[in-house]
Amino acid sequence: AVCTTRLIASLVHTLLARRVTRSGQRQGVAMHPQLEALLRGQDKLITRQQALEFMTQSELSAVLGKFWQVILPGVYATFTGDLTDRHRARAALLLAGDEAMLNDACALRAHRSDFVPAEPYQRVLVPDHVQVSSREFVVIRRTKRLPKALYVDGLPTAPLVRAVCEFVMRHPDERDAFAVLASVVQRGRVTMEELAVEIERGPNRGRRRLLRF
C-alpha cells in the first residue's frame, strides 16, 4: 500500500523519539515538522544524505523496500507504487545536485513548448565541475556556461532559449527539432536576437544546424 508522508513522518518520529540530545532532552518531536517540510518541498522524495540526518543507517535500511523505494542511487521515494514524470524529474535533480536544472526536452516540456517529442529520459544540466554520471533514466550534460535557472512549477529549469538550442543541436530528427524551434520563435517566446546570442556563445557542436534555421 502507498505510504503517505504523514505515515512516514510518524514512523521516523517513532525512530527519532529514542534519540537523546547532549542536554538529555528527546528531539523526535522537534525533528518531525522538519522532515514533513522537506518531503513537501521535494515531492515526497529524499536523498540518502538527507535521510541520514533524521535516522541511522540501520533505521534507513529498515524502511527501504517496505515503506520507501529506491529510485536512483542515493535517491528514495517515501512511498511505494508508480512514479509520475514529476517524480522522475525531481529524482534526476536530487541525483545531480543543488546546481542542477532541467534541460533540453525536459525544460521545453516544463515551459509548455509545442511539438516536443516524448522520450523516457530526464535531461539535466550541471556545472562542469560536478562529478555525477548519467544513470538509468537520467541524462547528465555538463557545461562551463551554466545559465541562471528559472523555477517552473517549483523545479529549477534552464531558460527557454538555452533549452531549445540544446534540443535542436542534439535531436536526431532535424524536422522535429525545427518544428519546436519555429514554434517558440513564432509565438514570440524567444526572439531572433536572443537566439543569435545563444548560438554565438554556445558550443560549435550543432551550431551549423541552428544557423540553417
Side-chain angles (χ1 to χ4, degrees):
V2 174
C3 187
T4 64
T5 300
R6 180 172 296 180
L7 178 58
I8 286 296
S10 177
L11 171 64
V12 176
H13 167 72
T14 301
L15 295 171
L16 290 172
R18 297 196 298 269
R19 298 191 182 182
V20 178
T21 64
R22 292 179 182 178
S23 63
Q25 296 178 342
R26 295 186 183 276
Q27 59 180 346
V29 174
M31 296 295 285
H32 182 129
Q34 294 179 28
L35 178 62
E36 284 192 315
L38 178 67
L39 296 179
R40 280 197 305 271
Q42 295 183 171
D43 300 299
K44 300 182 182 179
L45 305 190
I46 193 168
T47 67
R48 179 179 182 277
Q49 182 177 0
Q50 290 169 338
L52 291 177
E53 295 177 8
F54 296 95
M55 63 183 74
T56 66
Q57 178 60 57
S58 61
E59 291 166 346
L60 176 59
S61 298
V63 296
L64 283 174
K66 296 180 181 178
F67 304 105
W68 296 8
Q69 60 179 312
V70 178
I71 303 177
L72 292 165
V75 181
Y76 314 131
T78 60
F79 56 87
T80 57
D82 295 336
L83 302 174
T84 64
D85 285 341
R86 183 179 177 88
H87 287 137
R88 291 186 177 88
R90 178 70 72 182
L93 292 167
L94 290 174
L95 174 74
D98 293 340
E99 297 177 273
M101 64 189 73
L102 298 180
N103 184 44
D104 201 305
C106 296
L108 290 172
R109 281 190 287 271
H111 286 294
R112 294 175 173 80
S113 301
D114 294 329
F115 310 121
V116 183
E119 63 175 11
Y121 303 110
Q122 295 295 328
R123 299 183 182 274
V124 178
L125 194 64
V126 300
D128 190 56
H129 63 83
V130 172
Q131 298 300 308
V132 61
S133 301
S134 298
R135 300 293 297 264
E136 300 173 32
F137 59 84
V138 181
V139 178
I140 301 291
R141 171 159 153 67
R142 294 183 181 82
T143 181
K144 295 181 179 179
R145 194 172 57 89
L146 192 73
K148 182 178 181 180
L150 304 176
Y151 277 80
V152 181
D153 295 330
L155 297 174
T157 305
L160 183 54
V161 65
R162 177 64 175 270
V164 74
C165 285
E166 296 269 357
F167 174 76
V168 171
M169 289 188 294
R170 172 201 61 81
H171 193 66
D173 189 315
E174 187 173 283
R175 291 182 59 185
D176 285 351
F178 280 169
V180 176
L181 180 56
S183 174
V184 298
V185 171
Q186 290 169 4
R187 292 175 59 191
R189 302 187 65 193
V190 170
T191 68
M192 292 302 294
E193 290 75 16
E194 290 172 328
L195 194 59
V197 170
E198 182 62 34
I199 293 171
E200 177 63 27
R201 293 177 178 175
N204 291 329
R205 175 190 57 83
R207 180 179 293 177
R208 185 174 299 178
R209 177 185 281 188
L210 281 165
L211 290 173
R212 287 203 300 271
F213 176 71

PDB file of all heavy atoms in Angstrom, residues 130-157:
ATOM      1  N   VAL A 130      30.880  19.325 -11.532  1.00  0.00           N
ATOM      2  CA  VAL A 130      30.072  18.335 -10.816  1.00  0.00           C
ATOM      3  C   VAL A 130      30.400  16.929 -11.326  1.00  0.00           C
ATOM      4  O   VAL A 130      30.313  16.652 -12.518  1.00  0.00           O
ATOM      5  CB  VAL A 130      28.569  18.625 -10.973  1.00  0.00           C
ATOM      6  CG1 VAL A 130      27.737  17.483 -10.403  1.00  0.00           C
ATOM      7  CG2 VAL A 130      28.210  19.931 -10.279  1.00  0.00           C
ATOM      8  N   GLN A 131      30.770  16.061 -10.423  1.00  0.00           N
ATOM      9  CA  GLN A 131      31.152  14.694 -10.773  1.00  0.00           C
ATOM     10  C   GLN A 131      29.969  13.750 -10.541  1.00  0.00           C
ATOM     11  O   GLN A 131      29.868  13.080  -9.524  1.00  0.00           O
ATOM     12  CB  GLN A 131      32.366  14.251  -9.943  1.00  0.00           C
ATOM     13  CG  GLN A 131      33.611  15.087 -10.187  1.00  0.00           C
ATOM     14  CD  GLN A 131      34.046  15.040 -11.643  1.00  0.00           C
ATOM     15  OE1 GLN A 131      34.202  13.981 -12.230  1.00  0.00           O
ATOM     16  NE2 GLN A 131      34.249  16.213 -12.237  1.00  0.00           N
ATOM     17  N   VAL A 132      29.077  13.737 -11.491  1.00  0.00           N
ATOM     18  CA  VAL A 132      27.934  12.828 -11.443  1.00  0.00           C
ATOM     19  C   VAL A 132      27.708  12.308 -12.857  1.00  0.00           C
ATOM     20  O   VAL A 132      27.898  13.043 -13.833  1.00  0.00           O
ATOM     21  CB  VAL A 132      26.670  13.528 -10.889  1.00  0.00           C
ATOM     22  CG1 VAL A 132      26.244  14.693 -11.760  1.00  0.00           C
ATOM     23  CG2 VAL A 132      25.530  12.546 -10.708  1.00  0.00           C
ATOM     24  N   SER A 133      27.346  11.064 -12.969  1.00  0.00           N
ATOM     25  CA  SER A 133      27.201  10.427 -14.272  1.00  0.00           C
ATOM     26  C   SER A 133      25.741  10.138 -14.589  1.00  0.00           C
ATOM     27  O   SER A 133      24.900  10.035 -13.697  1.00  0.00           O
ATOM     28  CB  SER A 133      27.994   9.111 -14.306  1.00  0.00           C
ATOM     29  OG  SER A 133      29.360   9.340 -14.060  1.00  0.00           O
ATOM     30  N   SER A 134      25.448  10.008 -15.860  1.00  0.00           N
ATOM     31  CA  SER A 134      24.113   9.607 -16.293  1.00  0.00           C
ATOM     32  C   SER A 134      23.804   8.223 -15.735  1.00  0.00           C
ATOM     33  O   SER A 134      24.657   7.337 -15.741  1.00  0.00           O
ATOM     34  CB  SER A 134      24.038   9.583 -17.821  1.00  0.00           C
ATOM     35  OG  SER A 134      24.280  10.867 -18.360  1.00  0.00           O
ATOM     36  N   ARG A 135      22.576   8.049 -15.259  1.00  0.00           N
ATOM     37  CA  ARG A 135      22.159   6.773 -14.677  1.00  0.00           C
ATOM     38  C   ARG A 135      20.719   6.481 -15.064  1.00  0.00           C
ATOM     39  O   ARG A 135      19.853   7.343 -14.968  1.00  0.00           O
ATOM     40  CB  ARG A 135      22.245   6.814 -13.137  1.00  0.00           C
ATOM     41  CG  ARG A 135      23.628   7.086 -12.570  1.00  0.00           C
ATOM     42  CD  ARG A 135      24.584   5.947 -12.842  1.00  0.00           C
ATOM     43  NE  ARG A 135      24.175   4.725 -12.208  1.00  0.00           N
ATOM     44  CZ  ARG A 135      24.643   4.313 -11.032  1.00  0.00           C
ATOM     45  NH1 ARG A 135      25.516   5.052 -10.355  1.00  0.00           N
ATOM     46  NH2 ARG A 135      24.249   3.164 -10.531  1.00  0.00           N
ATOM     47  N   GLU A 136      20.489   5.290 -15.538  1.00  0.00           N
ATOM     48  CA  GLU A 136      19.129   4.827 -15.825  1.00  0.00           C
ATOM     49  C   GLU A 136      18.374   5.837 -16.695  1.00  0.00           C
ATOM     50  O   GLU A 136      18.726   6.040 -17.839  1.00  0.00           O
ATOM     51  CB  GLU A 136      18.410   4.498 -14.515  1.00  0.00           C
ATOM     52  CG  GLU A 136      19.135   3.402 -13.733  1.00  0.00           C
ATOM     53  CD  GLU A 136      18.559   3.157 -12.358  1.00  0.00           C
ATOM     54  OE1 GLU A 136      17.348   3.325 -12.186  1.00  0.00           O
ATOM     55  OE2 GLU A 136      19.332   2.773 -11.463  1.00  0.00           O
ATOM     56  N   PHE A 137      17.362   6.517 -16.152  1.00  0.00           N
ATOM     57  CA  PHE A 137      16.577   7.435 -16.964  1.00  0.00           C
ATOM     58  C   PHE A 137      17.092   8.877 -16.907  1.00  0.00           C
ATOM     59  O   PHE A 137      16.446   9.789 -17.449  1.00  0.00           O
ATOM     60  CB  PHE A 137      15.100   7.396 -16.546  1.00  0.00           C
ATOM     61  CG  PHE A 137      14.861   7.756 -15.101  1.00  0.00           C
ATOM     62  CD1 PHE A 137      14.749   9.074 -14.696  1.00  0.00           C
ATOM     63  CD2 PHE A 137      14.734   6.756 -14.143  1.00  0.00           C
ATOM     64  CE1 PHE A 137      14.515   9.403 -13.369  1.00  0.00           C
ATOM     65  CE2 PHE A 137      14.498   7.070 -12.809  1.00  0.00           C
ATOM     66  CZ  PHE A 137      14.392   8.406 -12.423  1.00  0.00           C
ATOM     67  N   VAL A 138      18.234   9.105 -16.302  1.00  0.00           N
ATOM     68  CA  VAL A 138      18.787  10.458 -16.147  1.00  0.00           C
ATOM     69  C   VAL A 138      19.954  10.650 -17.108  1.00  0.00           C
ATOM     70  O   VAL A 138      20.896   9.856 -17.126  1.00  0.00           O
ATOM     71  CB  VAL A 138      19.264  10.706 -14.704  1.00  0.00           C
ATOM     72  CG1 VAL A 138      19.816  12.124 -14.571  1.00  0.00           C
ATOM     73  CG2 VAL A 138      18.120  10.468 -13.720  1.00  0.00           C
ATOM     74  N   VAL A 139      19.892  11.718 -17.904  1.00  0.00           N
ATOM     75  CA  VAL A 139      20.977  12.081 -18.815  1.00  0.00           C
ATOM     76  C   VAL A 139      21.594  13.386 -18.319  1.00  0.00           C
ATOM     77  O   VAL A 139      20.924  14.417 -18.279  1.00  0.00           O
ATOM     78  CB  VAL A 139      20.475  12.237 -20.264  1.00  0.00           C
ATOM     79  CG1 VAL A 139      21.622  12.661 -21.186  1.00  0.00           C
ATOM     80  CG2 VAL A 139      19.833  10.945 -20.760  1.00  0.00           C
ATOM     81  N   ILE A 140      22.860  13.311 -17.934  1.00  0.00           N
ATOM     82  CA  ILE A 140      23.578  14.464 -17.396  1.00  0.00           C
ATOM     83  C   ILE A 140      24.355  15.144 -18.517  1.00  0.00           C
ATOM     84  O   ILE A 140      25.050  14.489 -19.295  1.00  0.00           O
ATOM     85  CB  ILE A 140      24.561  14.038 -16.286  1.00  0.00           C
ATOM     86  CG1 ILE A 140      23.810  13.343 -15.137  1.00  0.00           C
ATOM     87  CG2 ILE A 140      25.374  15.226 -15.791  1.00  0.00           C
ATOM     88  CD1 ILE A 140      22.928  14.251 -14.334  1.00  0.00           C
ATOM     89  N   ARG A 141      24.249  16.445 -18.595  1.00  0.00           N
ATOM     90  CA  ARG A 141      25.095  17.225 -19.501  1.00  0.00           C
ATOM     91  C   ARG A 141      25.837  18.274 -18.696  1.00  0.00           C
ATOM     92  O   ARG A 141      25.231  19.097 -18.011  1.00  0.00           O
ATOM     93  CB  ARG A 141      24.266  17.881 -20.600  1.00  0.00           C
ATOM     94  CG  ARG A 141      25.064  18.866 -21.441  1.00  0.00           C
ATOM     95  CD  ARG A 141      24.449  19.137 -22.789  1.00  0.00           C
ATOM     96  NE  ARG A 141      24.800  20.435 -23.303  1.00  0.00           N
ATOM     97  CZ  ARG A 141      26.023  20.810 -23.667  1.00  0.00           C
ATOM     98  NH1 ARG A 141      27.036  19.977 -23.556  1.00  0.00           N
ATOM     99  NH2 ARG A 141      26.227  22.019 -24.135  1.00  0.00           N
ATOM    100  N   ARG A 142      27.157  18.243 -18.772  1.00  0.00           N
ATOM    101  CA  ARG A 142      27.981  19.227 -18.070  1.00  0.00           C
ATOM    102  C   ARG A 142      28.223  20.432 -18.970  1.00  0.00           C
ATOM    103  O   ARG A 142      28.308  20.306 -20.186  1.00  0.00           O
ATOM    104  CB  ARG A 142      29.315  18.617 -17.656  1.00  0.00           C
ATOM    105  CG  ARG A 142      29.206  17.530 -16.615  1.00  0.00           C
ATOM    106  CD  ARG A 142      30.583  17.028 -16.205  1.00  0.00           C
ATOM    107  NE  ARG A 142      30.485  15.981 -15.221  1.00  0.00           N
ATOM    108  CZ  ARG A 142      30.253  14.704 -15.506  1.00  0.00           C
ATOM    109  NH1 ARG A 142      30.128  14.338 -16.774  1.00  0.00           N
ATOM    110  NH2 ARG A 142      30.163  13.809 -14.566  1.00  0.00           N
ATOM    111  N   THR A 143      28.377  21.595 -18.346  1.00  0.00           N
ATOM    112  CA  THR A 143      28.632  22.813 -19.101  1.00  0.00           C
ATOM    113  C   THR A 143      29.505  23.771 -18.293  1.00  0.00           C
ATOM    114  O   THR A 143      29.411  23.819 -17.062  1.00  0.00           O
ATOM    115  CB  THR A 143      27.313  23.518 -19.474  1.00  0.00           C
ATOM    116  OG1 THR A 143      27.601  24.707 -20.229  1.00  0.00           O
ATOM    117  CG2 THR A 143      26.513  23.901 -18.235  1.00  0.00           C
ATOM    118  N   LYS A 144      30.339  24.506 -18.992  1.00  0.00           N
ATOM    119  CA  LYS A 144      31.105  25.586 -18.360  1.00  0.00           C
ATOM    120  C   LYS A 144      30.327  26.890 -18.386  1.00  0.00           C
ATOM    121  O   LYS A 144      30.789  27.896 -17.837  1.00  0.00           O
ATOM    122  CB  LYS A 144      32.442  25.764 -19.084  1.00  0.00           C
ATOM    123  CG  LYS A 144      33.380  24.565 -18.961  1.00  0.00           C
ATOM    124  CD  LYS A 144      34.693  24.816 -19.688  1.00  0.00           C
ATOM    125  CE  LYS A 144      35.634  23.625 -19.533  1.00  0.00           C
ATOM    126  NZ  LYS A 144      36.914  23.829 -20.259  1.00  0.00           N
ATOM    127  N   ARG A 145      29.168  26.862 -19.002  1.00  0.00           N
ATOM    128  CA  ARG A 145      28.357  28.078 -19.191  1.00  0.00           C
ATOM    129  C   ARG A 145      26.956  27.823 -18.631  1.00  0.00           C
ATOM    130  O   ARG A 145      25.977  27.735 -19.350  1.00  0.00           O
ATOM    131  CB  ARG A 145      28.325  28.410 -20.683  1.00  0.00           C
ATOM    132  CG  ARG A 145      27.827  29.789 -21.029  1.00  0.00           C
ATOM    133  CD  ARG A 145      28.039  30.053 -22.517  1.00  0.00           C
ATOM    134  NE  ARG A 145      27.375  29.033 -23.320  1.00  0.00           N
ATOM    135  CZ  ARG A 145      26.120  29.137 -23.733  1.00  0.00           C
ATOM    136  NH1 ARG A 145      25.392  30.192 -23.422  1.00  0.00           N
ATOM    137  NH2 ARG A 145      25.593  28.175 -24.471  1.00  0.00           N
ATOM    138  N   LEU A 146      26.897  27.692 -17.315  1.00  0.00           N
ATOM    139  CA  LEU A 146      25.625  27.370 -16.667  1.00  0.00           C
ATOM    140  C   LEU A 146      24.759  28.632 -16.570  1.00  0.00           C
ATOM    141  O   LEU A 146      25.180  29.629 -15.993  1.00  0.00           O
ATOM    142  CB  LEU A 146      25.872  26.810 -15.270  1.00  0.00           C
ATOM    143  CG  LEU A 146      24.657  26.166 -14.593  1.00  0.00           C
ATOM    144  CD1 LEU A 146      24.347  24.819 -15.236  1.00  0.00           C
ATOM    145  CD2 LEU A 146      24.915  25.989 -13.096  1.00  0.00           C
ATOM    146  N   PRO A 147      23.552  28.588 -17.114  1.00  0.00           N
ATOM    147  CA  PRO A 147      22.673  29.759 -17.002  1.00  0.00           C
ATOM    148  C   PRO A 147      22.029  29.849 -15.618  1.00  0.00           C
ATOM    149  O   PRO A 147      22.095  28.896 -14.827  1.00  0.00           O
ATOM    150  CB  PRO A 147      21.614  29.492 -18.072  1.00  0.00           C
ATOM    151  CG  PRO A 147      21.515  28.000 -18.115  1.00  0.00           C
ATOM    152  CD  PRO A 147      22.917  27.489 -17.857  1.00  0.00           C
ATOM    153  N   LYS A 148      21.408  30.957 -15.346  1.00  0.00           N
ATOM    154  CA  LYS A 148      20.624  31.091 -14.112  1.00  0.00           C
ATOM    155  C   LYS A 148      19.312  30.344 -14.303  1.00  0.00           C
ATOM    156  O   LYS A 148      18.576  30.579 -15.269  1.00  0.00           O
ATOM    157  CB  LYS A 148      20.363  32.558 -13.799  1.00  0.00           C
ATOM    158  CG  LYS A 148      19.596  32.763 -12.495  1.00  0.00           C
ATOM    159  CD  LYS A 148      19.408  34.242 -12.196  1.00  0.00           C
ATOM    160  CE  LYS A 148      18.656  34.434 -10.888  1.00  0.00           C
ATOM    161  NZ  LYS A 148      18.456  35.882 -10.575  1.00  0.00           N
ATOM    162  N   ALA A 149      19.021  29.458 -13.383  1.00  0.00           N
ATOM    163  CA  ALA A 149      17.814  28.641 -13.510  1.00  0.00           C
ATOM    164  C   ALA A 149      16.558  29.471 -13.281  1.00  0.00           C
ATOM    165  O   ALA A 149      16.539  30.412 -12.476  1.00  0.00           O
ATOM    166  CB  ALA A 149      17.855  27.484 -12.519  1.00  0.00           C
ATOM    167  N   LEU A 150      15.523  29.104 -13.990  1.00  0.00           N
ATOM    168  CA  LEU A 150      14.179  29.619 -13.732  1.00  0.00           C
ATOM    169  C   LEU A 150      13.396  28.526 -13.014  1.00  0.00           C
ATOM    170  O   LEU A 150      13.552  27.349 -13.326  1.00  0.00           O
ATOM    171  CB  LEU A 150      13.481  29.970 -15.049  1.00  0.00           C
ATOM    172  CG  LEU A 150      14.195  30.958 -15.966  1.00  0.00           C
ATOM    173  CD1 LEU A 150      13.424  31.115 -17.269  1.00  0.00           C
ATOM    174  CD2 LEU A 150      14.367  32.301 -15.287  1.00  0.00           C
ATOM    175  N   TYR A 151      12.568  28.915 -12.067  1.00  0.00           N
ATOM    176  CA  TYR A 151      11.770  27.917 -11.359  1.00  0.00           C
ATOM    177  C   TYR A 151      10.391  27.837 -12.012  1.00  0.00           C
ATOM    178  O   TYR A 151       9.620  28.793 -12.000  1.00  0.00           O
ATOM    179  CB  TYR A 151      11.670  28.258  -9.876  1.00  0.00           C
ATOM    180  CG  TYR A 151      12.892  27.781  -9.133  1.00  0.00           C
ATOM    181  CD1 TYR A 151      14.074  28.520  -9.172  1.00  0.00           C
ATOM    182  CD2 TYR A 151      12.893  26.571  -8.444  1.00  0.00           C
ATOM    183  CE1 TYR A 151      15.220  28.067  -8.530  1.00  0.00           C
ATOM    184  CE2 TYR A 151      14.026  26.115  -7.800  1.00  0.00           C
ATOM    185  CZ  TYR A 151      15.181  26.863  -7.850  1.00  0.00           C
ATOM    186  OH  TYR A 151      16.313  26.406  -7.226  1.00  0.00           O
ATOM    187  N   VAL A 152      10.142  26.693 -12.624  1.00  0.00           N
ATOM    188  CA  VAL A 152       8.878  26.447 -13.317  1.00  0.00           C
ATOM    189  C   VAL A 152       8.140  25.359 -12.551  1.00  0.00           C
ATOM    190  O   VAL A 152       8.629  24.232 -12.433  1.00  0.00           O
ATOM    191  CB  VAL A 152       9.117  26.011 -14.776  1.00  0.00           C
ATOM    192  CG1 VAL A 152       7.787  25.786 -15.484  1.00  0.00           C
ATOM    193  CG2 VAL A 152       9.960  27.043 -15.511  1.00  0.00           C
ATOM    194  N   ASP A 153       6.999  25.697 -11.991  1.00  0.00           N
ATOM    195  CA  ASP A 153       6.248  24.757 -11.151  1.00  0.00           C
ATOM    196  C   ASP A 153       7.126  24.182 -10.043  1.00  0.00           C
ATOM    197  O   ASP A 153       7.031  22.993  -9.701  1.00  0.00           O
ATOM    198  CB  ASP A 153       5.644  23.627 -11.985  1.00  0.00           C
ATOM    199  CG  ASP A 153       4.586  24.123 -12.966  1.00  0.00           C
ATOM    200  OD1 ASP A 153       3.931  25.136 -12.657  1.00  0.00           O
ATOM    201  OD2 ASP A 153       4.416  23.508 -14.036  1.00  0.00           O
ATOM    202  N   GLY A 154       8.015  25.001  -9.516  1.00  0.00           N
ATOM    203  CA  GLY A 154       8.847  24.594  -8.389  1.00  0.00           C
ATOM    204  C   GLY A 154      10.098  23.816  -8.744  1.00  0.00           C
ATOM    205  O   GLY A 154      10.841  23.420  -7.843  1.00  0.00           O
ATOM    206  N   LEU A 155      10.373  23.615 -10.038  1.00  0.00           N
ATOM    207  CA  LEU A 155      11.547  22.858 -10.465  1.00  0.00           C
ATOM    208  C   LEU A 155      12.533  23.783 -11.177  1.00  0.00           C
ATOM    209  O   LEU A 155      12.132  24.528 -12.087  1.00  0.00           O
ATOM    210  CB  LEU A 155      11.142  21.720 -11.403  1.00  0.00           C
ATOM    211  CG  LEU A 155      10.230  20.646 -10.810  1.00  0.00           C
ATOM    212  CD1 LEU A 155       9.800  19.667 -11.902  1.00  0.00           C
ATOM    213  CD2 LEU A 155      10.906  19.905  -9.679  1.00  0.00           C
ATOM    214  N   PRO A 156      13.814  23.752 -10.804  1.00  0.00           N
ATOM    215  CA  PRO A 156      14.810  24.578 -11.499  1.00  0.00           C
ATOM    216  C   PRO A 156      14.938  24.136 -12.955  1.00  0.00           C
ATOM    217  O   PRO A 156      15.124  22.955 -13.243  1.00  0.00           O
ATOM    218  CB  PRO A 156      16.104  24.336 -10.711  1.00  0.00           C
ATOM    219  CG  PRO A 156      15.899  23.031 -10.011  1.00  0.00           C
ATOM    220  CD  PRO A 156      14.434  22.931  -9.740  1.00  0.00           C
ATOM    221  N   THR A 157      14.834  25.102 -13.852  1.00  0.00           N
ATOM    222  CA  THR A 157      14.716  24.804 -15.277  1.00  0.00           C
ATOM    223  C   THR A 157      15.574  25.764 -16.081  1.00  0.00           C
ATOM    224  O   THR A 157      15.632  26.959 -15.779  1.00  0.00           O
ATOM    225  CB  THR A 157      13.238  24.935 -15.712  1.00  0.00           C
ATOM    226  OG1 THR A 157      12.430  24.090 -14.875  1.00  0.00           O
ATOM    227  CG2 THR A 157      13.040  24.551 -17.158  1.00  0.00           C
TER     228      THR A 157
END
